[in-house]
Amino acid sequence: MSHTTAPATSPASSPSSRSTVDVFSESPRLDLDAYLARIGWSGQGEASVEMLRSVHRAHVHGIPFENVEPVLGSAPSLALADLQAKLVRSRRGGYCFEHNTLFAAVLEALGFGVTRLAARVRVGAQGAVRPRTHMLLLVDVPGASRQYLADVGFGSIGGLLEAIPLTAGTEVHDGGRRHRLVREPHHGLEDLWVLQAFQGGAWSDQYAFSREPFEPADYEVINWHVATNPRSPFQHTLYAQRTTPDTHLALAGRALVIMRADGTREERELADSAELRQVLDTDFGIELPEGARLEAGH
């Protein structure tokens, strides 16, 4: 599939007719060829459910999750040029705001409609009501009767591998994982949507959201809070995730967990900073910034 001709002028144009695309008027151009090469996707055709699922899965497999910048004391940039430099042209990853901001731009370039949303994460919340600190996407597929939930930036094995239809109560098998969306009564304008993953023989809440659109300015504020608030766990602990067709790797500080498709699980503690850097580079595909030093507590 080639994207080397002049940019298209309509969002619904064939992806084969565009190489770089203006996503927002104030934004630099998206290098779609470089992105697709980064995730190893070489499909063809018009925007469709099959394309959405395929590109979503390739992104999850191709670009790792990590929060290096907050641990080093800064908030990562959400500018498209910086996201491309980091996630596309470097051996780096990012967290939800970076992944899903980039993915939204890609989907719009491919001819999909995208509404940016925010969710309250419930993993580990134990009933507490958390602020909306997770970015996710609602996708309109040309010709499809349903919208789809897309999320390539959830740093958990309970995250989506493929986009799933926005339909309540239906179990979906997405690339080897099991998910469903349920409705939950809420005092807002509509009931909440809750994403659940089937884990350990039971359904577990991942996050809850409504369909209220969020703007880039909203994510700038939330991103700053998550990255710099002294109470944010992202400022104190290094988290990294890498998903392949056969394995899911999860790192929290020095604790490494390897979960394989056959159900086996391996846990170990990394010895020191040298081993941490090696594992990030070799197993996660993350090359730390030049001169980056992670303290023992990370």
Side-chain angles (χ1 to χ4, degrees), residues 48-113:
S48 65
V49 172
E50 292 72 20
M51 175 187 284
L52 173 61
R53 288 173 172 162
S54 177
V55 175
H56 191 292
R57 184 173 61 251
H59 182 117
V60 173
H61 287 164
I63 307 178
F65 177 99
E66 47 107 327
N67 67 320
V68 170
E69 270 74 18
V71 170
L72 294 178
S74 65
S77 170
L78 301 184
L80 185 57
D82 294 332
L83 293 176
Q84 292 185 97
K86 181 183 177 188
L87 275 69
V88 175
R89 299 189 176 92
S90 302
R91 296 183 66 248
R92 289 293 306 279
Y95 58 2
C96 68
F97 308 113
E98 299 170 275
H99 278 278
N100 283 322
T101 297
L102 175 63
F103 196 57
V106 168
L107 292 181
E108 288 171 334
L110 290 171
F112 296 93

Short mmCIF file of all heavy atoms in Angstrom, two decimals, residues 48-113:
data_model
loop_
_atom_site.label_atom_id
_atom_site.label_comp_id
_atom_site.label_asym_id
_atom_site.label_seq_id
_atom_site.Cartn_x
_atom_site.Cartn_y
_atom_site.Cartn_z
N SER A 48 -12.78 0.81 6.87
CA SER A 48 -13.76 -0.24 7.14
C SER A 48 -13.53 -0.77 8.55
O SER A 48 -12.52 -0.47 9.19
CB SER A 48 -13.61 -1.39 6.14
OG SER A 48 -12.35 -2.04 6.30
N VAL A 49 -14.47 -1.58 9.03
CA VAL A 49 -14.31 -2.20 10.34
C VAL A 49 -13.07 -3.09 10.35
O VAL A 49 -12.30 -3.09 11.31
CB VAL A 49 -15.56 -3.02 10.71
CG1 VAL A 49 -15.33 -3.82 11.98
CG2 VAL A 49 -16.77 -2.10 10.88
N GLU A 50 -12.87 -3.83 9.28
CA GLU A 50 -11.71 -4.72 9.21
C GLU A 50 -10.41 -3.93 9.27
O GLU A 50 -9.46 -4.33 9.96
CB GLU A 50 -11.76 -5.56 7.92
CG GLU A 50 -12.88 -6.59 7.88
CD GLU A 50 -14.27 -5.99 7.70
OE1 GLU A 50 -14.37 -4.82 7.22
OE2 GLU A 50 -15.25 -6.65 8.07
N MET A 51 -10.35 -2.79 8.55
CA MET A 51 -9.15 -1.97 8.60
C MET A 51 -8.94 -1.42 10.01
O MET A 51 -7.81 -1.42 10.53
CB MET A 51 -9.24 -0.81 7.61
CG MET A 51 -8.06 0.16 7.70
SD MET A 51 -8.24 1.64 6.68
CE MET A 51 -7.88 0.96 5.06
N LEU A 52 -9.99 -0.92 10.65
CA LEU A 52 -9.88 -0.38 11.99
C LEU A 52 -9.32 -1.41 12.95
O LEU A 52 -8.39 -1.12 13.72
CB LEU A 52 -11.26 0.09 12.46
CG LEU A 52 -11.36 0.54 13.92
CD1 LEU A 52 -10.46 1.73 14.20
CD2 LEU A 52 -12.82 0.86 14.27
N ARG A 53 -9.86 -2.61 12.93
CA ARG A 53 -9.38 -3.66 13.83
C ARG A 53 -7.93 -4.02 13.54
O ARG A 53 -7.12 -4.19 14.46
CB ARG A 53 -10.26 -4.90 13.69
CG ARG A 53 -11.65 -4.75 14.30
CD ARG A 53 -12.51 -5.94 13.97
NE ARG A 53 -13.78 -5.91 14.68
CZ ARG A 53 -14.85 -6.62 14.34
NH1 ARG A 53 -14.79 -7.43 13.28
NH2 ARG A 53 -15.96 -6.55 15.05
N SER A 54 -7.59 -4.10 12.28
CA SER A 54 -6.25 -4.50 11.89
C SER A 54 -5.20 -3.47 12.28
O SER A 54 -4.14 -3.80 12.83
CB SER A 54 -6.21 -4.76 10.38
OG SER A 54 -4.91 -5.09 9.95
N VAL A 55 -5.48 -2.20 11.99
CA VAL A 55 -4.52 -1.14 12.33
C VAL A 55 -4.41 -1.00 13.84
O VAL A 55 -3.32 -0.80 14.39
CB VAL A 55 -4.94 0.20 11.68
CG1 VAL A 55 -4.02 1.32 12.12
CG2 VAL A 55 -4.92 0.07 10.16
N HIS A 56 -5.53 -1.13 14.54
CA HIS A 56 -5.53 -1.06 16.01
C HIS A 56 -4.62 -2.15 16.58
O HIS A 56 -3.75 -1.87 17.44
CB HIS A 56 -6.97 -1.25 16.50
CG HIS A 56 -7.20 -0.96 17.95
ND1 HIS A 56 -6.68 -1.72 18.98
CD2 HIS A 56 -7.92 0.03 18.56
CE1 HIS A 56 -7.07 -1.23 20.14
NE2 HIS A 56 -7.82 -0.17 19.92
N ARG A 57 -4.80 -3.37 16.14
CA ARG A 57 -3.98 -4.49 16.64
C ARG A 57 -2.50 -4.28 16.32
O ARG A 57 -1.62 -4.52 17.15
CB ARG A 57 -4.47 -5.80 16.05
CG ARG A 57 -3.74 -7.04 16.57
CD ARG A 57 -4.39 -8.31 16.07
NE ARG A 57 -4.35 -8.42 14.61
CZ ARG A 57 -5.42 -8.29 13.83
NH1 ARG A 57 -6.61 -8.06 14.35
NH2 ARG A 57 -5.30 -8.39 12.52
N ALA A 58 -2.20 -3.79 15.10
CA ALA A 58 -0.81 -3.56 14.71
C ALA A 58 -0.18 -2.48 15.58
O ALA A 58 1.01 -2.57 15.93
CB ALA A 58 -0.74 -3.18 13.23
N HIS A 59 -0.93 -1.45 15.92
CA HIS A 59 -0.40 -0.39 16.78
C HIS A 59 -0.07 -0.95 18.16
O HIS A 59 1.02 -0.69 18.70
CB HIS A 59 -1.42 0.75 16.91
CG HIS A 59 -0.93 1.90 17.73
ND1 HIS A 59 -0.77 3.17 17.22
CD2 HIS A 59 -0.58 1.99 19.04
CE1 HIS A 59 -0.31 3.98 18.17
NE2 HIS A 59 -0.20 3.28 19.29
N VAL A 60 -0.99 -1.70 18.75
CA VAL A 60 -0.75 -2.27 20.08
C VAL A 60 0.48 -3.16 20.08
O VAL A 60 1.29 -3.15 21.01
CB VAL A 60 -1.98 -3.03 20.57
CG1 VAL A 60 -1.69 -3.76 21.88
CG2 VAL A 60 -3.17 -2.08 20.77
N HIS A 61 0.65 -3.95 19.02
CA HIS A 61 1.81 -4.84 18.93
C HIS A 61 3.09 -4.08 18.58
O HIS A 61 4.19 -4.54 18.91
CB HIS A 61 1.56 -5.91 17.87
CG HIS A 61 0.58 -6.96 18.30
ND1 HIS A 61 -0.04 -7.82 17.41
CD2 HIS A 61 0.10 -7.29 19.52
CE1 HIS A 61 -0.85 -8.63 18.08
NE2 HIS A 61 -0.78 -8.32 19.35
N GLY A 62 2.94 -2.93 17.93
CA GLY A 62 4.11 -2.27 17.37
C GLY A 62 4.75 -1.20 18.24
O GLY A 62 5.95 -0.92 18.11
N ILE A 63 3.98 -0.55 19.13
CA ILE A 63 4.51 0.57 19.90
C ILE A 63 4.25 0.32 21.39
O ILE A 63 3.11 0.15 21.80
CB ILE A 63 3.86 1.90 19.47
CG1 ILE A 63 4.00 2.10 17.96
CG2 ILE A 63 4.51 3.07 20.21
CD1 ILE A 63 3.35 3.37 17.44
N PRO A 64 5.29 0.31 22.22
CA PRO A 64 5.10 -0.02 23.65
C PRO A 64 4.47 1.11 24.44
O PRO A 64 4.42 2.26 24.01
CB PRO A 64 6.53 -0.29 24.13
CG PRO A 64 7.39 0.53 23.22
CD PRO A 64 6.70 0.51 21.87
N PHE A 65 4.01 0.76 25.62
CA PHE A 65 3.49 1.71 26.61
C PHE A 65 4.62 2.01 27.59
O PHE A 65 5.30 1.11 28.06
CB PHE A 65 2.30 1.08 27.34
CG PHE A 65 1.72 1.92 28.45
CD1 PHE A 65 0.58 2.68 28.23
CD2 PHE A 65 2.30 1.95 29.72
CE1 PHE A 65 0.03 3.45 29.24
CE2 PHE A 65 1.77 2.71 30.74
CZ PHE A 65 0.63 3.46 30.50
N GLU A 66 4.81 3.30 27.93
CA GLU A 66 5.81 3.67 28.94
C GLU A 66 5.57 5.09 29.41
O GLU A 66 4.94 5.89 28.72
CB GLU A 66 7.23 3.50 28.40
CG GLU A 66 7.45 4.09 27.00
CD GLU A 66 8.27 5.36 27.00
OE1 GLU A 66 8.17 6.13 27.97
OE2 GLU A 66 9.00 5.59 26.01
N ASN A 67 6.08 5.38 30.61
CA ASN A 67 5.90 6.71 31.22
C ASN A 67 7.23 7.29 31.66
O ASN A 67 7.36 7.85 32.76
CB ASN A 67 4.94 6.62 32.41
CG ASN A 67 5.52 5.82 33.58
OD1 ASN A 67 6.17 4.79 33.37
ND2 ASN A 67 5.29 6.27 34.80
N VAL A 68 8.24 7.18 30.81
CA VAL A 68 9.58 7.62 31.18
C VAL A 68 9.62 9.10 31.52
O VAL A 68 10.24 9.51 32.51
CB VAL A 68 10.58 7.29 30.04
CG1 VAL A 68 11.93 7.94 30.30
CG2 VAL A 68 10.74 5.78 29.92
N GLU A 69 8.99 9.97 30.71
CA GLU A 69 9.06 11.41 30.95
C GLU A 69 8.55 11.80 32.34
O GLU A 69 9.23 12.56 33.05
CB GLU A 69 8.32 12.20 29.86
CG GLU A 69 9.18 12.58 28.68
CD GLU A 69 9.48 11.39 27.79
OE1 GLU A 69 8.77 10.38 27.89
OE2 GLU A 69 10.42 11.46 26.99
N PRO A 70 7.36 11.36 32.77
CA PRO A 70 6.91 11.71 34.12
C PRO A 70 7.89 11.25 35.20
O PRO A 70 8.13 11.98 36.17
CB PRO A 70 5.56 11.01 34.24
CG PRO A 70 5.06 10.94 32.84
CD PRO A 70 6.28 10.69 32.01
N VAL A 71 8.45 10.05 35.06
CA VAL A 71 9.40 9.56 36.04
C VAL A 71 10.65 10.44 36.08
O VAL A 71 11.25 10.68 37.14
CB VAL A 71 9.79 8.09 35.73
CG1 VAL A 71 10.96 7.64 36.59
CG2 VAL A 71 8.59 7.18 35.98
N LEU A 72 11.03 10.99 34.93
CA LEU A 72 12.20 11.86 34.87
C LEU A 72 11.86 13.31 35.21
O LEU A 72 12.74 14.17 35.22
CB LEU A 72 12.81 11.80 33.47
CG LEU A 72 13.42 10.45 33.08
CD1 LEU A 72 13.96 10.49 31.66
CD2 LEU A 72 14.51 10.02 34.05
N GLY A 73 10.55 13.59 35.47
CA GLY A 73 10.20 14.90 35.98
C GLY A 73 9.54 15.86 35.02
O GLY A 73 9.47 17.07 35.30
N SER A 74 9.03 15.38 33.89
CA SER A 74 8.38 16.30 32.95
C SER A 74 7.14 15.65 32.35
O SER A 74 6.97 14.43 32.39
CB SER A 74 9.35 16.68 31.83
OG SER A 74 9.68 15.55 31.04
N ALA A 75 6.27 16.49 31.77
CA ALA A 75 5.08 16.01 31.07
C ALA A 75 5.42 15.84 29.60
O ALA A 75 5.96 16.76 28.98
CB ALA A 75 3.92 16.98 31.24
N PRO A 76 5.11 14.69 28.99
CA PRO A 76 5.41 14.51 27.57
C PRO A 76 4.57 15.43 26.70
O PRO A 76 3.42 15.74 27.02
CB PRO A 76 5.06 13.04 27.32
CG PRO A 76 4.08 12.69 28.38
CD PRO A 76 4.47 13.50 29.58
N SER A 77 5.14 15.89 25.60
CA SER A 77 4.42 16.75 24.67
C SER A 77 3.37 15.96 23.91
O SER A 77 3.59 14.81 23.53
CB SER A 77 5.40 17.37 23.67
OG SER A 77 4.71 18.03 22.62
N LEU A 78 2.22 16.59 23.67
CA LEU A 78 1.16 15.98 22.87
C LEU A 78 1.07 16.61 21.49
O LEU A 78 0.14 16.32 20.74
CB LEU A 78 -0.19 16.11 23.58
CG LEU A 78 -0.28 15.49 24.98
CD1 LEU A 78 -1.69 15.60 25.53
CD2 LEU A 78 0.18 14.03 24.97
N ALA A 79 2.04 17.45 21.12
CA ALA A 79 2.07 18.02 19.78
C ALA A 79 2.35 16.90 18.78
O ALA A 79 3.20 16.02 19.02
CB ALA A 79 3.14 19.09 19.69
N LEU A 80 1.66 16.93 17.65
CA LEU A 80 1.77 15.85 16.69
C LEU A 80 3.21 15.65 16.21
O LEU A 80 3.67 14.50 16.06
CB LEU A 80 0.85 16.11 15.50
CG LEU A 80 0.76 14.99 14.45
CD1 LEU A 80 0.31 13.67 15.08
CD2 LEU A 80 -0.19 15.38 13.33
N ALA A 81 3.94 16.73 15.99
CA ALA A 81 5.33 16.59 15.54
C ALA A 81 6.17 15.86 16.57
O ALA A 81 6.99 15.01 16.23
CB ALA A 81 5.92 17.98 15.25
N ASP A 82 5.95 16.18 17.85
CA ASP A 82 6.72 15.53 18.91
C ASP A 82 6.30 14.07 19.08
O ASP A 82 7.14 13.20 19.34
CB ASP A 82 6.53 16.28 20.22
CG ASP A 82 7.11 17.68 20.18
OD1 ASP A 82 8.08 17.91 19.42
OD2 ASP A 82 6.59 18.56 20.89
N LEU A 83 5.02 13.79 18.93
CA LEU A 83 4.56 12.40 19.02
C LEU A 83 5.15 11.55 17.91
O LEU A 83 5.54 10.40 18.13
CB LEU A 83 3.03 12.36 18.95
CG LEU A 83 2.29 12.97 20.14
CD1 LEU A 83 0.78 12.95 19.89
CD2 LEU A 83 2.62 12.23 21.42
N GLN A 84 5.23 12.11 16.70
CA GLN A 84 5.82 11.36 15.60
C GLN A 84 7.32 11.14 15.82
O GLN A 84 7.84 10.05 15.56
CB GLN A 84 5.58 12.08 14.28
CG GLN A 84 4.11 12.10 13.87
CD GLN A 84 3.90 12.70 12.50
OE1 GLN A 84 3.80 12.00 11.50
NE2 GLN A 84 3.86 14.02 12.44
N ALA A 85 8.00 12.17 16.32
CA ALA A 85 9.43 12.04 16.58
C ALA A 85 9.70 10.96 17.62
O ALA A 85 10.67 10.20 17.51
CB ALA A 85 10.00 13.37 17.03
N LYS A 86 8.83 10.87 18.61
CA LYS A 86 9.06 9.93 19.72
C LYS A 86 8.52 8.53 19.42
O LYS A 86 9.26 7.55 19.49
CB LYS A 86 8.39 10.49 20.98
CG LYS A 86 8.58 9.60 22.21
CD LYS A 86 7.82 10.17 23.41
CE LYS A 86 7.93 9.25 24.61
NZ LYS A 86 7.06 9.69 25.73
N LEU A 87 7.23 8.43 19.08
CA LEU A 87 6.60 7.12 18.95
C LEU A 87 6.82 6.47 17.59
O LEU A 87 6.79 5.24 17.48
CB LEU A 87 5.09 7.22 19.20
CG LEU A 87 4.63 7.16 20.66
CD1 LEU A 87 5.06 8.41 21.42
CD2 LEU A 87 3.10 6.99 20.75
N VAL A 88 7.05 7.29 16.57
CA VAL A 88 7.18 6.76 15.21
C VAL A 88 8.63 6.63 14.78
O VAL A 88 9.06 5.59 14.28
CB VAL A 88 6.40 7.63 14.21
CG1 VAL A 88 6.62 7.14 12.78
CG2 VAL A 88 4.91 7.63 14.54
N ARG A 89 9.42 7.68 15.00
CA ARG A 89 10.78 7.70 14.46
C ARG A 89 11.84 7.28 15.47
O ARG A 89 13.02 7.18 15.11
CB ARG A 89 11.10 9.09 13.90
CG ARG A 89 10.18 9.50 12.76
CD ARG A 89 10.64 10.78 12.08
NE ARG A 89 9.78 11.08 10.95
CZ ARG A 89 8.71 11.87 11.02
NH1 ARG A 89 8.39 12.43 12.18
NH2 ARG A 89 7.96 12.10 9.96
N SER A 90 11.45 7.04 16.70
CA SER A 90 12.39 6.60 17.73
C SER A 90 11.94 5.27 18.32
O SER A 90 10.79 4.86 18.14
CB SER A 90 12.49 7.64 18.86
OG SER A 90 12.89 8.90 18.36
N ARG A 91 12.84 4.62 19.02
CA ARG A 91 12.49 3.37 19.71
C ARG A 91 11.96 3.72 21.10
O ARG A 91 12.58 3.49 22.11
CB ARG A 91 13.71 2.46 19.80
CG ARG A 91 14.23 1.98 18.45
CD ARG A 91 15.42 1.02 18.59
NE ARG A 91 15.00 -0.24 19.21
CZ ARG A 91 15.39 -0.64 20.42
NH1 ARG A 91 16.17 0.14 21.17
NH2 ARG A 91 14.99 -1.80 20.92
N ARG A 92 10.79 4.34 21.08
CA ARG A 92 10.14 4.78 22.31
C ARG A 92 8.68 4.38 22.26
O ARG A 92 8.15 3.93 21.25
CB ARG A 92 10.27 6.30 22.46
CG ARG A 92 11.66 6.82 22.78
CD ARG A 92 12.15 6.39 24.15
NE ARG A 92 11.22 6.76 25.21
CZ ARG A 92 11.14 7.98 25.77
NH1 ARG A 92 11.93 8.95 25.36
NH2 ARG A 92 10.26 8.22 26.73
N GLY A 93 8.01 4.60 23.38
CA GLY A 93 6.58 4.44 23.45
C GLY A 93 5.99 5.65 24.14
O GLY A 93 6.56 6.73 24.13
N GLY A 94 4.85 5.46 24.79
CA GLY A 94 4.21 6.55 25.49
C GLY A 94 3.05 6.02 26.31
O GLY A 94 2.83 4.81 26.37
N TYR A 95 2.31 6.94 26.95
CA TYR A 95 1.12 6.48 27.65
C TYR A 95 -0.12 6.98 26.92
O TYR A 95 -0.04 7.42 25.78
CB TYR A 95 1.16 6.82 29.13
CG TYR A 95 1.30 8.25 29.57
CD1 TYR A 95 1.36 9.32 28.69
CD2 TYR A 95 1.37 8.53 30.93
CE1 TYR A 95 1.48 10.62 29.14
CE2 TYR A 95 1.48 9.84 31.40
CZ TYR A 95 1.54 10.87 30.50
OH TYR A 95 1.65 12.16 30.95
N CYS A 96 -1.30 6.88 27.56
CA CYS A 96 -2.56 6.95 26.82
C CYS A 96 -2.71 8.21 25.98
O CYS A 96 -3.14 8.15 24.83
CB CYS A 96 -3.74 6.78 27.75
SG CYS A 96 -4.00 8.15 28.93
N PHE A 97 -2.36 9.39 26.54
CA PHE A 97 -2.55 10.63 25.81
C PHE A 97 -1.71 10.66 24.53
O PHE A 97 -2.14 11.16 23.49
CB PHE A 97 -2.22 11.83 26.69
CG PHE A 97 -2.93 11.81 28.01
CD1 PHE A 97 -2.23 11.64 29.19
CD2 PHE A 97 -4.31 11.93 28.08
CE1 PHE A 97 -2.89 11.60 30.41
CE2 PHE A 97 -4.98 11.89 29.29
CZ PHE A 97 -4.26 11.72 30.46
N GLU A 98 -0.50 10.14 24.62
CA GLU A 98 0.39 10.11 23.45
C GLU A 98 -0.11 9.11 22.41
O GLU A 98 -0.25 9.43 21.23
CB GLU A 98 1.80 9.75 23.89
CG GLU A 98 2.40 10.75 24.87
CD GLU A 98 3.69 10.25 25.46
OE1 GLU A 98 3.63 9.51 26.48
OE2 GLU A 98 4.76 10.58 24.93
N HIS A 99 -0.36 7.88 22.85
CA HIS A 99 -0.82 6.85 21.93
C HIS A 99 -2.12 7.24 21.22
O HIS A 99 -2.23 7.16 19.99
CB HIS A 99 -1.03 5.53 22.68
CG HIS A 99 0.20 4.73 22.89
ND1 HIS A 99 0.73 3.91 21.92
CD2 HIS A 99 1.02 4.61 23.96
CE1 HIS A 99 1.82 3.32 22.39
NE2 HIS A 99 2.02 3.74 23.63
N ASN A 100 -3.11 7.63 22.01
CA ASN A 100 -4.43 7.86 21.41
C ASN A 100 -4.53 9.18 20.68
O ASN A 100 -5.35 9.31 19.76
CB ASN A 100 -5.51 7.72 22.48
CG ASN A 100 -5.79 6.26 22.82
OD1 ASN A 100 -5.79 5.39 21.94
ND2 ASN A 100 -6.00 5.97 24.09
N THR A 101 -3.72 10.18 21.04
CA THR A 101 -3.67 11.40 20.23
C THR A 101 -3.11 11.09 18.85
O THR A 101 -3.64 11.53 17.82
CB THR A 101 -2.83 12.48 20.93
OG1 THR A 101 -3.45 12.84 22.18
CG2 THR A 101 -2.71 13.73 20.06
N LEU A 102 -2.03 10.34 18.82
CA LEU A 102 -1.44 9.93 17.55
C LEU A 102 -2.41 9.04 16.76
O LEU A 102 -2.62 9.25 15.56
CB LEU A 102 -0.13 9.19 17.78
CG LEU A 102 0.55 8.59 16.55
CD1 LEU A 102 0.96 9.67 15.55
CD2 LEU A 102 1.76 7.75 16.96
N PHE A 103 -3.02 8.07 17.43
CA PHE A 103 -3.91 7.13 16.74
C PHE A 103 -5.14 7.84 16.18
O PHE A 103 -5.62 7.51 15.09
CB PHE A 103 -4.32 6.01 17.69
CG PHE A 103 -4.91 4.82 17.00
CD1 PHE A 103 -4.21 4.14 16.03
CD2 PHE A 103 -6.18 4.35 17.34
CE1 PHE A 103 -4.76 3.02 15.39
CE2 PHE A 103 -6.73 3.25 16.72
CZ PHE A 103 -6.01 2.58 15.74
N ALA A 104 -5.66 8.83 16.91
CA ALA A 104 -6.79 9.59 16.41
C ALA A 104 -6.43 10.30 15.11
O ALA A 104 -7.22 10.31 14.14
CB ALA A 104 -7.25 10.61 17.45
N ALA A 105 -5.24 10.89 15.06
CA ALA A 105 -4.80 11.56 13.83
C ALA A 105 -4.67 10.57 12.69
O ALA A 105 -5.05 10.87 11.54
CB ALA A 105 -3.46 12.26 14.09
N VAL A 106 -4.16 9.40 12.98
CA VAL A 106 -4.02 8.36 11.95
C VAL A 106 -5.38 7.93 11.43
O VAL A 106 -5.60 7.83 10.21
CB VAL A 106 -3.25 7.16 12.51
CG1 VAL A 106 -3.34 5.96 11.57
CG2 VAL A 106 -1.79 7.53 12.77
N LEU A 107 -6.32 7.66 12.33
CA LEU A 107 -7.64 7.21 11.90
C LEU A 107 -8.33 8.26 11.04
O LEU A 107 -8.97 7.93 10.03
CB LEU A 107 -8.50 6.88 13.12
CG LEU A 107 -8.09 5.66 13.93
CD1 LEU A 107 -9.03 5.44 15.11
CD2 LEU A 107 -8.03 4.40 13.07
N GLU A 108 -8.22 9.53 11.42
CA GLU A 108 -8.83 10.59 10.62
C GLU A 108 -8.18 10.66 9.24
O GLU A 108 -8.85 10.87 8.23
CB GLU A 108 -8.73 11.92 11.35
CG GLU A 108 -9.66 11.98 12.55
CD GLU A 108 -9.45 13.18 13.44
OE1 GLU A 108 -8.32 13.72 13.47
OE2 GLU A 108 -10.40 13.59 14.13
N ALA A 109 -6.87 10.43 9.19
CA ALA A 109 -6.18 10.43 7.90
C ALA A 109 -6.62 9.26 7.03
O ALA A 109 -6.64 9.36 5.81
CB ALA A 109 -4.66 10.37 8.12
N LEU A 110 -7.00 8.17 7.66
CA LEU A 110 -7.44 6.98 6.91
C LEU A 110 -8.92 7.04 6.53
O LEU A 110 -9.41 6.15 5.84
CB LEU A 110 -7.18 5.72 7.74
CG LEU A 110 -5.71 5.33 7.92
CD1 LEU A 110 -5.58 4.19 8.94
CD2 LEU A 110 -5.09 4.93 6.59
N GLY A 111 -9.63 8.07 6.97
CA GLY A 111 -11.02 8.23 6.55
C GLY A 111 -12.06 7.92 7.60
O GLY A 111 -13.25 7.87 7.28
N PHE A 112 -11.66 7.72 8.86
CA PHE A 112 -12.61 7.45 9.94
C PHE A 112 -12.99 8.76 10.63
O PHE A 112 -12.24 9.73 10.62
CB PHE A 112 -11.99 6.51 10.97
CG PHE A 112 -11.66 5.14 10.45
CD1 PHE A 112 -10.38 4.87 9.96
CD2 PHE A 112 -12.59 4.13 10.45
CE1 PHE A 112 -10.05 3.61 9.48
CE2 PHE A 112 -12.28 2.87 9.97
CZ PHE A 112 -11.01 2.61 9.48
N GLY A 113 -14.16 8.76 11.25
CA GLY A 113 -14.54 9.85 12.13
C GLY A 113 -14.15 9.50 13.56
O GLY A 113 -14.31 8.35 13.98
#
